[in-house]
Amino acid sequence: MQLFENITKMQEWAREQKKQGQSIALVPTMGYLHEGHLALVKEARRQCDKVVVSIFVNPIQFGAGEDFEQYPRDLEQDSALLEKERVDALFSPGIRDMYPGSFQTFVEAYGEITEKMCGSSRPGHFKGVTTVVSKLFNICQPDRAYFGQKDAQQLMIVEKMVRELNFPLEIIRVPIVREKDGLAMSSRNVYLSPEERAEALVLYRALKMAEEEIKNGEREIGIIRQKMEEMIEACPRAAIDYIAINNANDLSELQTCTGKVLIALAVKFGKTRLIDNLIVEV
């Protein structure tokens, strides 16, 4: 595995692979890798000739008072995991390389899809995501890029950007990877105290309860949301940011549960904000 910190050298490597007729997969990450990330890498390895993983904790997608400084980092551990997965190139640039002092250009998606859920509770977050992802696409020149379904809204916004700006690549969705007890894998899980970790299991329980309600014939979104709220609020350490039940294709509002439905939530346990989601076909 080759390590690139320099943007120009990463681009040169990618161009050389293209000249040789090799397809390139990109797995964008912020590091502190877990099995969820490695599932993306495995799928990329299966589908493409060359696999690039980027590790960059992107400062412009963090808001004031969020956890940019505390975000877990361990490049040595991450590198060892990626070596085992036969990754071809690791791109790990510095902040000044990605955002030099004169940097003033941003990529931002607009529309209903960006305004709700995490878009409303984390202003500017998705502007930071689309800017860094567009830069990574230009630097690593992938044919396919791999994103996890856990960040469902982010995934849909990146797909919108790729579609509307005609990026010559395909976005591949990879299912959520969970711990044995159901908690969605996240680098932020390490923040949780043992008590918070135990209570965080309510996220998946609430999602599965909502799925069961729909399968049993409940279609009223307000009723389903209320039952989820009651279940989560029974946990003393949980503070709900949002519970959203929307069209899974474009996040548009639903009057009742019909078609492909995304049930998504964000809940804080202490200082740790966790997200999770589930898609139900009605």
Side-chain angles (χ1 to χ4, degrees):
M1 183 177 72
Q2 292 182 255
L3 170 63
F4 294 99
E5 296 177 335
N6 181 275
I7 289 174
T8 301
K9 289 183 178 179
M10 182 71 248
Q11 285 177 317
E12 288 172 351
W13 181 90
R15 280 198 295 268
E16 184 58 34
Q17 306 314 308
K18 292 292 185 74
K19 282 182 187 176
Q20 296 176 15
Q22 301 290 292
S23 59
I24 298 176
L26 171 65
V27 180
T29 82
M30 292 204 300
Y32 211 73
L33 305 179
H34 51 68
E35 287 299 324
H37 296 111
L38 298 182
L40 305 178
V41 174
K42 288 178 169 69
E43 189 64 15
R45 178 81 281 163
R46 191 177 69 80
Q47 294 186 0
C48 292
D49 299 315
K50 299 293 182 181
V51 176
V52 180
V53 174
S54 64
I55 293 179
F56 179 65
V57 183
N58 178 34
I60 67 170
Q61 72 187 64
F62 289 78
E66 292 189 346
D67 60 339
F68 173 70
E69 296 295 340
Q70 293 77 34
Y71 195 86
R73 297 161 171 86
D74 192 334
L75 187 60
E76 184 177 344
Q77 175 180 282
D78 290 344
S79 298
L81 290 170
L82 296 176
E83 287 269 15
K84 288 181 182 177
E85 297 297 334
R86 299 179 295 114
V87 166
D88 298 283
L90 168 57
F91 178 51
S92 181
I95 292 174
R96 290 182 181 178
D97 298 306
M98 291 292 276
Y99 305 118
S102 59
F103 189 89
Q104 292 180 319
T105 303
F106 299 89
V107 177
E108 186 169 11
Y110 289 90
E112 185 181 12
I113 195 171
T114 68
E115 295 166 357
K116 56 185 61 174
M117 296 165 54
C118 292
S120 108
S121 59
R122 301 183 71 188
H125 170 68
F126 289 123
K127 178 181 177 180
V129 169
T130 45
T131 298
V132 77
V133 168
S134 64
K135 284 177 69 71
L136 291 170
F137 289 169
N138 284 329
I139 294 164
C140 301
Q141 302 177 41
D143 299 284
R144 290 174 172 167
Y146 295 75
F147 291 82
Q149 178 62 33
K150 184 174 76 72
D151 298 290
Q153 186 178 18
Q154 170 181 283
L155 175 53
M156 295 166 74
I157 291 170
V158 170
E159 288 173 334
K160 172 184 170 73
M161 179 188 76
V162 166
R163 182 172 63 250
E164 295 183 356
L165 295 184
N166 307 108
F167 279 92
L169 60 97
E170 181 182 3
I171 300 298
I172 306 297
R173 295 182 172 215
V174 179
I176 296 172
V177 177
R178 299 184 179 278
E179 304 282 359
K180 290 180 181 178
D181 56 13
L183 184 66
M185 289 193 173
S186 168
S187 299
R188 288 186 168 97
N189 289 349
V190 297
Y191 297 156
L192 298 169
S193 70
E195 296 78 14
E196 290 165 348
R197 173 67 176 74
E199 285 197 7
L201 299 180
V202 75
L203 301 186
Y204 191 51
R205 288 204 307 269
L207 290 170
K208 294 300 287 183
M209 180 270 291
E211 178 184 45
E212 196 64 25
E213 287 286 321
I214 293 170
K215 287 182 176 178
N216 289 337
E218 182 59 71
R219 296 292 179 267
E220 291 299 318
I221 289 172
I223 292 173
I224 296 168
R225 185 185 289 116
Q226 182 179 356
K227 289 184 177 181
M228 293 178 71
E229 286 174 355
E230 290 172 355
M231 178 180 282
I232 295 168
E233 287 171 350
C235 297
R237 293 174 179 83
I240 297 171
D241 181 347
Y242 65 77
I243 296 173
I245 302 174
N246 294 319
N247 184 300
N249 296 314
D250 57 10
L251 295 188
S252 58
E253 297 295 329
L254 296 171
Q255 298 304 311
T256 60
C257 292
T258 182
K260 200 173 181 182
V261 179
L262 175 74
I263 309 169
L265 41 67
V267 179
K268 288 188 80 171
F269 296 88
K271 295 182 178 180
T272 307
R273 182 178 180 275
L274 300 180
I275 61 173
D276 202 347
N277 68 83
L278 185 149
I279 293 176
V280 183
E281 297 262 8
V282 181

